Amino acid sequence: MPRLAIAPEVPRDLGALAQPVRRDVVTAMRRFLQNTTSAPHPERVRNTRDSRVATLRLSDRHRGVVVRQRDVFWMLTVLPDAEAWSYAQRHRFAVNAAIGIAEVWNAEALERVEPALRRSADSTEERLFAHVCDTDLIALGIDVQLIPLVRLITTDANLDALEPLLPESQFAPLSVLGQGGSMAEAWRALDSRVAVPVTEVDVTDLPAALKRTPDRAAFVPDPSTLDRILAKPHWCTFLYPTQYRLSHQAGFEGPVLVTGGAGTGKTLVALHRAAHLARAGDGRVLLVTFSQGVAADVAAKLDLLVDEEEVRGRIEVGNVERLAHRIVSEAEGRTPLLVGAPDLATLWQEASEISGDLHSAAFLLREWEQVILAQNLCTVQEYLAAERPGRSVELGHDERTAVWKAIEHVTEQLRASGRRTLLQLASRASTLLGRTTGDLLGDNAPLREPYRHIVVDEAQDLHPAQWRLLRAAVPPGPDDLFIVGDPHQRVFDTRVALSTLGIKTESQRLSISHRLPQDILSWAVRLRGGGPVDGLVDGITELVGYRATHPGDRPAVREYTSRAAELAGLVTQVTGWLEEEGVAAEDIAVAARTGELVKGAKAALGASGAGMRVTTFHGLKGLEFRRVALVGVADGVVPAPDTLTPAAEDPTARAHDLQRERGLLYMACTRAAERLYVSYSGRASPFLPP
């Protein structure tokens, strides 16, 4: 029986065909898998650069291009006859000698560019790779047929011109060496293409290489598997190498932290990791994300990813608040009451008055959340002795005592009314689990925690009290915590290093954005500032090396003279996307910083806004869309003035507030996979790049 592996282009090619043609092609592929008498058979192509290349006639005028070795057929594309023959003649296929993955080479294009490289080389003695010997190039997996071209390269521009013509596994190490990097740095660049590590490579064994190349090949053993792959989104089947390696590794010794910029696939890694752990079948898996709304979207994606009912049943999706609510409810025998925002604001204002107005309500709230709750301080003596990281205003003994008394007013009023905040609920839940399991961070817990594995998405916005709950909810051990996040997208002021909570992590990093076009990414990084941020990791996280894989349109930034004109411009933009460009409403998001602006956008869009998400910036967190429109990005709105600590009260807190607001806008901008539209009336937000 033939074994079929398909490239990611095949489902896309089929999706572009007219329905009758697509039906005939899929039917022919099913027959091929079943090896029936009417199945298409491989037909040789004249003048190919690889003798293993053939075509399969799949319909009256369409063919699949395949590379055959023994009983394995790697189908690369489905095209009209003439285009299929041309593709088959232009390309050759190889196994990378260093990392054992399958490579596709546009051999014809490389042959066409050789004369230009030779002319450039004849005009100068300079050679970009003169300092690198052939032995080192071969050790890095550089194809022996490419080395003569490499020796002709004289400038960075020559090398950059070759990038679209080379497999990434060839270009990545060459790019490092061309910039003067070391062999070790070149190996690290090559490592980004490793999905399945290999100790010994057989360059003649293409089927084995295909199994190590999950972004280029998916094996299809039977027609039902083919139907599932064709019916599902691309990300369910094809993962980029680093994404695959992290999500499918056989076992991590303990907690793992994966950081990465927007669009690098952190949520996909979390989804696939949860599925992988559930398929192992050694216990329940909790997949935690930012909010219950985002959890619903994540659960829907998990339903697409996991077909097996038993496996899906092992995975619970939710947020920390839901987990805390359930634990406290079960322990106390009643539903916990939560305090509303207006009542809580009143209590903090009363606390400020108790302090003699020495400290504002906002200052006291932050002191409570960022010092007292963060460190789980229960007595004034503990507070007097505690460090206050991130709080720049020094407090002496008497001031701390006064602050504790003011905060105690709030906590006593909440206790008397039987109400809690969400962070108090998380703290209570972790305490309850601690009584059941013993030392929250110890190695000798009696293994009665609710979950065997916990996967955490959007980790940058979790508070220390919530981290203590998650740590208590899973026994320490292999594959206990798998954490993904991006400190640059933080929308709450929770800048905690996990190690300070006793969660020692193995750190991994994703640096390639597969969602964002380079033009949007570069603009957004300028908006964000590109500088280092703290949180999750020890020290800082930087955007150095963060890049996209494809170009795109620069964000459209529009200035209007009035709010009414701006909303009219929004309607024109969205109508164009819907009616002229044929973008589906569910692929469009409109967002603003405030609820009032969101209400205005909804009213302006009216019936045309049906089916699309119109929300605050916070409502975009964890989601992605083809097109995103952000309105009201004006001075006095972004950053939101009422979220900023007065500089005179606490300059460090104000700096953190500004960084948080900048991160919020950055997060909203990076939800756009194709086009980003940003508008304002009056003066632009100071965050917008010039």
Side-chain angles (χ1 to χ4, degrees), residues 9-10 12-14 16-17 21 25 29 55-66 75-91:
E9 289 78 12
V10 172
R12 295 170 183 167
D13 292 343
L14 296 183
L17 297 177
V21 178
V25 169
M29 292 175 69
T55 66
L56 299 176
R57 185 178 181 183
L58 301 176
S59 74
D60 184 36
R61 297 181 180 179
H62 286 77
R63 293 174 177 270
V65 179
V66 297
M75 185 178 291
L76 296 138
T77 186
V78 176
L79 297 169
D81 289 346
E83 294 178 38
W85 289 321
S86 175
Y87 183 98
Q89 292 169 338
R90 293 196 313 270
H91 291 82

Short mmCIF file of all heavy atoms in Angstrom, two decimals, residues 9-10 12-14 16-17 21 25 29 55-66 75-91:
data_model
loop_
_atom_site.label_atom_id
_atom_site.label_comp_id
_atom_site.label_asym_id
_atom_site.label_seq_id
_atom_site.Cartn_x
_atom_site.Cartn_y
_atom_site.Cartn_z
N GLU A 9 0.88 23.13 1.62
CA GLU A 9 0.30 23.79 0.45
C GLU A 9 -0.87 23.01 -0.13
O GLU A 9 -1.73 23.58 -0.80
CB GLU A 9 1.37 23.98 -0.63
CG GLU A 9 2.42 25.04 -0.31
CD GLU A 9 3.47 24.58 0.66
OE1 GLU A 9 3.53 23.34 0.94
OE2 GLU A 9 4.25 25.42 1.16
N VAL A 10 -0.91 21.70 0.11
CA VAL A 10 -1.95 20.87 -0.51
C VAL A 10 -3.36 21.26 -0.03
O VAL A 10 -4.25 21.50 -0.85
CB VAL A 10 -1.66 19.38 -0.29
CG1 VAL A 10 -2.84 18.53 -0.75
CG2 VAL A 10 -0.40 18.98 -1.04
N ARG A 12 -4.30 24.07 1.12
CA ARG A 12 -4.55 25.42 0.62
C ARG A 12 -4.88 25.38 -0.88
O ARG A 12 -5.79 26.08 -1.35
CB ARG A 12 -3.33 26.31 0.86
CG ARG A 12 -3.05 26.55 2.33
CD ARG A 12 -1.70 27.24 2.53
NE ARG A 12 -1.39 27.41 3.93
CZ ARG A 12 -0.19 27.74 4.40
NH1 ARG A 12 0.81 27.96 3.56
NH2 ARG A 12 0.02 27.88 5.70
N ASP A 13 -4.14 24.58 -1.63
CA ASP A 13 -4.42 24.44 -3.06
C ASP A 13 -5.83 23.91 -3.29
O ASP A 13 -6.56 24.40 -4.16
CB ASP A 13 -3.41 23.50 -3.72
CG ASP A 13 -2.00 24.08 -3.76
OD1 ASP A 13 -1.85 25.30 -3.58
OD2 ASP A 13 -1.05 23.29 -3.95
N LEU A 14 -6.22 22.91 -2.51
CA LEU A 14 -7.56 22.33 -2.67
C LEU A 14 -8.64 23.34 -2.31
O LEU A 14 -9.69 23.39 -2.95
CB LEU A 14 -7.70 21.08 -1.80
CG LEU A 14 -6.79 19.90 -2.15
CD1 LEU A 14 -7.08 18.71 -1.26
CD2 LEU A 14 -6.94 19.51 -3.60
N ALA A 16 -8.63 26.39 -2.86
CA ALA A 16 -8.77 27.40 -3.91
C ALA A 16 -9.46 26.87 -5.16
O ALA A 16 -9.77 27.63 -6.08
CB ALA A 16 -7.38 27.95 -4.28
N LEU A 17 -9.69 25.55 -5.22
CA LEU A 17 -10.30 24.95 -6.41
C LEU A 17 -11.82 25.13 -6.39
O LEU A 17 -12.44 25.21 -5.33
CB LEU A 17 -9.97 23.46 -6.47
CG LEU A 17 -8.50 23.08 -6.63
CD1 LEU A 17 -8.34 21.57 -6.60
CD2 LEU A 17 -7.91 23.65 -7.91
N VAL A 21 -14.17 20.47 -9.00
CA VAL A 21 -12.79 20.03 -9.20
C VAL A 21 -12.23 19.51 -7.88
O VAL A 21 -11.55 18.47 -7.84
CB VAL A 21 -11.93 21.17 -9.75
CG1 VAL A 21 -10.48 20.71 -9.92
CG2 VAL A 21 -12.48 21.67 -11.07
N VAL A 25 -10.61 15.81 -7.09
CA VAL A 25 -9.24 15.66 -6.60
C VAL A 25 -9.22 14.86 -5.30
O VAL A 25 -8.40 13.94 -5.14
CB VAL A 25 -8.59 17.04 -6.39
CG1 VAL A 25 -7.26 16.91 -5.64
CG2 VAL A 25 -8.36 17.73 -7.73
N MET A 29 -7.48 11.22 -4.47
CA MET A 29 -6.52 11.02 -3.38
C MET A 29 -6.97 9.87 -2.47
O MET A 29 -6.14 9.07 -2.02
CB MET A 29 -6.36 12.31 -2.57
CG MET A 29 -5.67 13.43 -3.35
SD MET A 29 -5.61 15.01 -2.46
CE MET A 29 -4.45 14.61 -1.15
N THR A 55 4.21 13.03 -11.11
CA THR A 55 2.91 13.67 -10.91
C THR A 55 1.84 12.60 -10.83
O THR A 55 1.98 11.50 -11.38
CB THR A 55 2.57 14.66 -12.04
OG1 THR A 55 2.40 13.92 -13.27
CG2 THR A 55 3.64 15.72 -12.19
N LEU A 56 0.75 12.94 -10.13
CA LEU A 56 -0.45 12.10 -10.07
C LEU A 56 -1.59 12.88 -10.71
O LEU A 56 -1.87 14.01 -10.30
CB LEU A 56 -0.81 11.77 -8.62
CG LEU A 56 0.21 10.99 -7.78
CD1 LEU A 56 -0.30 10.86 -6.35
CD2 LEU A 56 0.49 9.63 -8.39
N ARG A 57 -2.23 12.29 -11.69
CA ARG A 57 -3.36 12.95 -12.32
C ARG A 57 -4.58 12.80 -11.41
O ARG A 57 -5.11 11.70 -11.23
CB ARG A 57 -3.64 12.33 -13.69
CG ARG A 57 -4.73 13.07 -14.45
CD ARG A 57 -4.93 12.45 -15.82
NE ARG A 57 -5.96 13.17 -16.54
CZ ARG A 57 -6.40 12.81 -17.75
NH1 ARG A 57 -5.90 11.74 -18.34
NH2 ARG A 57 -7.34 13.52 -18.35
N LEU A 58 -5.03 13.92 -10.82
CA LEU A 58 -6.08 13.88 -9.81
C LEU A 58 -7.44 14.32 -10.34
O LEU A 58 -8.46 14.07 -9.69
CB LEU A 58 -5.68 14.76 -8.62
CG LEU A 58 -4.36 14.36 -7.93
CD1 LEU A 58 -4.00 15.36 -6.84
CD2 LEU A 58 -4.44 12.95 -7.36
N SER A 59 -7.45 15.02 -11.45
CA SER A 59 -8.71 15.38 -12.09
C SER A 59 -8.42 15.60 -13.57
O SER A 59 -7.29 15.38 -14.02
CB SER A 59 -9.32 16.65 -11.47
OG SER A 59 -8.61 17.81 -11.88
N ASP A 60 -9.42 16.04 -14.30
CA ASP A 60 -9.25 16.19 -15.74
C ASP A 60 -8.08 17.10 -16.09
O ASP A 60 -7.34 16.84 -17.04
CB ASP A 60 -10.56 16.74 -16.35
CG ASP A 60 -10.48 16.82 -17.86
OD1 ASP A 60 -9.86 15.92 -18.45
OD2 ASP A 60 -11.03 17.77 -18.44
N ARG A 61 -7.86 18.17 -15.30
CA ARG A 61 -6.82 19.13 -15.64
C ARG A 61 -5.90 19.48 -14.47
O ARG A 61 -5.19 20.49 -14.53
CB ARG A 61 -7.46 20.42 -16.17
CG ARG A 61 -8.26 20.21 -17.46
CD ARG A 61 -8.85 21.50 -17.95
NE ARG A 61 -9.61 21.29 -19.19
CZ ARG A 61 -10.25 22.25 -19.84
NH1 ARG A 61 -10.23 23.50 -19.37
NH2 ARG A 61 -10.91 21.98 -20.95
N HIS A 62 -5.93 18.71 -13.42
CA HIS A 62 -5.09 19.02 -12.26
C HIS A 62 -4.27 17.80 -11.84
O HIS A 62 -4.74 16.66 -11.90
CB HIS A 62 -5.95 19.47 -11.07
CG HIS A 62 -6.49 20.86 -11.24
ND1 HIS A 62 -7.56 21.15 -12.05
CD2 HIS A 62 -6.09 22.05 -10.70
CE1 HIS A 62 -7.81 22.45 -12.01
NE2 HIS A 62 -6.93 23.01 -11.21
N ARG A 63 -3.06 18.09 -11.38
CA ARG A 63 -2.13 17.05 -10.96
C ARG A 63 -1.51 17.39 -9.61
O ARG A 63 -1.33 18.57 -9.27
CB ARG A 63 -1.00 16.88 -11.99
CG ARG A 63 -1.45 16.34 -13.32
CD ARG A 63 -0.33 16.32 -14.34
NE ARG A 63 -0.82 15.73 -15.58
CZ ARG A 63 -0.77 14.43 -15.87
NH1 ARG A 63 -0.20 13.60 -15.01
NH2 ARG A 63 -1.25 13.96 -17.01
N GLY A 64 -1.18 16.36 -8.88
CA GLY A 64 -0.39 16.52 -7.68
C GLY A 64 1.07 16.22 -7.98
O GLY A 64 1.37 15.23 -8.67
N VAL A 65 1.96 17.06 -7.50
CA VAL A 65 3.39 16.83 -7.66
C VAL A 65 3.88 16.04 -6.44
O VAL A 65 3.66 16.48 -5.30
CB VAL A 65 4.18 18.14 -7.80
CG1 VAL A 65 5.67 17.87 -7.95
CG2 VAL A 65 3.65 18.95 -8.98
N VAL A 66 4.52 14.90 -6.69
CA VAL A 66 4.97 14.05 -5.58
C VAL A 66 6.46 13.74 -5.73
O VAL A 66 7.00 13.74 -6.84
CB VAL A 66 4.17 12.73 -5.52
CG1 VAL A 66 2.71 13.00 -5.23
CG2 VAL A 66 4.33 11.92 -6.81
N MET A 75 3.44 14.53 -1.33
CA MET A 75 2.72 15.41 -2.23
C MET A 75 2.95 16.86 -1.82
O MET A 75 2.63 17.26 -0.70
CB MET A 75 1.22 15.10 -2.24
CG MET A 75 0.44 15.93 -3.25
SD MET A 75 -1.33 15.51 -3.31
CE MET A 75 -1.26 13.87 -4.02
N LEU A 76 3.49 17.64 -2.74
CA LEU A 76 3.90 19.00 -2.42
C LEU A 76 2.87 20.05 -2.81
O LEU A 76 2.76 21.08 -2.15
CB LEU A 76 5.23 19.31 -3.11
CG LEU A 76 6.36 18.43 -2.60
CD1 LEU A 76 7.24 17.95 -3.72
CD2 LEU A 76 7.17 19.19 -1.58
N THR A 77 2.14 19.82 -3.89
CA THR A 77 1.20 20.82 -4.36
C THR A 77 0.22 20.18 -5.33
O THR A 77 0.50 19.10 -5.88
CB THR A 77 1.95 22.01 -5.02
OG1 THR A 77 1.04 23.03 -5.36
CG2 THR A 77 2.69 21.56 -6.27
N VAL A 78 -0.90 20.83 -5.55
CA VAL A 78 -1.89 20.41 -6.55
C VAL A 78 -2.12 21.60 -7.47
O VAL A 78 -2.57 22.66 -7.01
CB VAL A 78 -3.20 19.96 -5.90
CG1 VAL A 78 -4.24 19.62 -6.97
CG2 VAL A 78 -2.97 18.76 -4.99
N LEU A 79 -1.81 21.43 -8.75
CA LEU A 79 -1.84 22.54 -9.70
C LEU A 79 -2.43 22.09 -11.03
O LEU A 79 -2.49 20.89 -11.32
CB LEU A 79 -0.41 23.06 -9.93
CG LEU A 79 0.33 23.66 -8.73
CD1 LEU A 79 1.80 23.85 -9.08
CD2 LEU A 79 -0.30 24.97 -8.31
N PRO A 80 -2.85 23.05 -11.87
CA PRO A 80 -3.21 22.70 -13.25
C PRO A 80 -2.03 22.01 -13.94
O PRO A 80 -0.86 22.22 -13.58
CB PRO A 80 -3.52 24.06 -13.89
CG PRO A 80 -3.93 24.93 -12.74
CD PRO A 80 -3.08 24.48 -11.58
N ASP A 81 -2.32 21.21 -14.93
CA ASP A 81 -1.31 20.34 -15.55
C ASP A 81 0.00 21.04 -15.86
O ASP A 81 1.08 20.61 -15.42
CB ASP A 81 -1.88 19.74 -16.84
CG ASP A 81 -2.96 18.70 -16.56
OD1 ASP A 81 -3.08 18.27 -15.39
OD2 ASP A 81 -3.69 18.33 -17.50
N ALA A 82 -0.06 22.12 -16.64
CA ALA A 82 1.17 22.78 -17.08
C ALA A 82 1.96 23.33 -15.90
O ALA A 82 3.20 23.22 -15.86
CB ALA A 82 0.83 23.91 -18.06
N GLU A 83 1.26 23.90 -14.92
CA GLU A 83 1.95 24.44 -13.74
C GLU A 83 2.57 23.33 -12.91
O GLU A 83 3.65 23.49 -12.33
CB GLU A 83 0.97 25.26 -12.91
CG GLU A 83 0.47 26.53 -13.59
CD GLU A 83 -0.54 27.28 -12.73
OE1 GLU A 83 -0.35 27.32 -11.50
OE2 GLU A 83 -1.51 27.82 -13.29
N ALA A 84 1.88 22.20 -12.83
CA ALA A 84 2.41 21.07 -12.07
C ALA A 84 3.69 20.55 -12.71
O ALA A 84 4.69 20.27 -12.03
CB ALA A 84 1.37 19.96 -11.99
N TRP A 85 3.70 20.39 -14.04
CA TRP A 85 4.91 19.93 -14.73
C TRP A 85 6.05 20.92 -14.54
O TRP A 85 7.20 20.53 -14.32
CB TRP A 85 4.62 19.74 -16.22
CG TRP A 85 3.75 18.55 -16.49
CD1 TRP A 85 3.78 17.33 -15.88
CD2 TRP A 85 2.70 18.47 -17.46
NE1 TRP A 85 2.82 16.50 -16.39
CE2 TRP A 85 2.13 17.16 -17.37
CE3 TRP A 85 2.15 19.36 -18.40
CZ2 TRP A 85 1.08 16.74 -18.17
CZ3 TRP A 85 1.11 18.93 -19.20
CH2 TRP A 85 0.58 17.64 -19.10
N SER A 86 5.74 22.23 -14.60
CA SER A 86 6.77 23.24 -14.42
C SER A 86 7.36 23.17 -13.02
O SER A 86 8.58 23.24 -12.83
CB SER A 86 6.19 24.63 -14.68
OG SER A 86 7.13 25.65 -14.39
N TYR A 87 6.50 23.04 -12.00
CA TYR A 87 6.97 22.93 -10.61
C TYR A 87 7.87 21.71 -10.47
O TYR A 87 8.95 21.78 -9.85
CB TYR A 87 5.77 22.81 -9.67
CG TYR A 87 6.13 22.77 -8.20
CD1 TYR A 87 6.06 23.92 -7.41
CD2 TYR A 87 6.56 21.58 -7.59
CE1 TYR A 87 6.40 23.88 -6.06
CE2 TYR A 87 6.91 21.54 -6.26
CZ TYR A 87 6.82 22.69 -5.50
OH TYR A 87 7.17 22.65 -4.18
N ALA A 88 7.46 20.60 -11.03
CA ALA A 88 8.24 19.36 -10.92
C ALA A 88 9.61 19.51 -11.55
O ALA A 88 10.60 18.93 -11.07
CB ALA A 88 7.47 18.21 -11.56
N GLN A 89 9.71 20.28 -12.63
CA GLN A 89 10.98 20.46 -13.32
C GLN A 89 11.90 21.44 -12.60
O GLN A 89 13.12 21.32 -12.67
CB GLN A 89 10.73 20.95 -14.75
CG GLN A 89 10.07 19.91 -15.65
CD GLN A 89 9.59 20.49 -16.96
OE1 GLN A 89 9.35 21.70 -17.07
NE2 GLN A 89 9.42 19.64 -17.98
N ARG A 90 11.32 22.41 -11.90
CA ARG A 90 12.13 23.48 -11.28
C ARG A 90 12.79 23.07 -9.98
O ARG A 90 13.82 23.62 -9.61
CB ARG A 90 11.25 24.72 -11.01
CG ARG A 90 10.74 25.42 -12.22
CD ARG A 90 10.24 26.82 -11.86
NE ARG A 90 9.38 26.85 -10.69
CZ ARG A 90 8.06 26.71 -10.71
NH1 ARG A 90 7.45 26.49 -11.87
NH2 ARG A 90 7.35 26.78 -9.60
N HIS A 91 12.21 22.13 -9.26
CA HIS A 91 12.63 21.88 -7.88
C HIS A 91 13.42 20.58 -7.74
O HIS A 91 13.26 19.64 -8.51
CB HIS A 91 11.41 21.85 -6.96
CG HIS A 91 10.75 23.17 -6.79
ND1 HIS A 91 9.84 23.67 -7.71
CD2 HIS A 91 10.85 24.12 -5.82
CE1 HIS A 91 9.42 24.86 -7.32
NE2 HIS A 91 10.02 25.16 -6.18
#
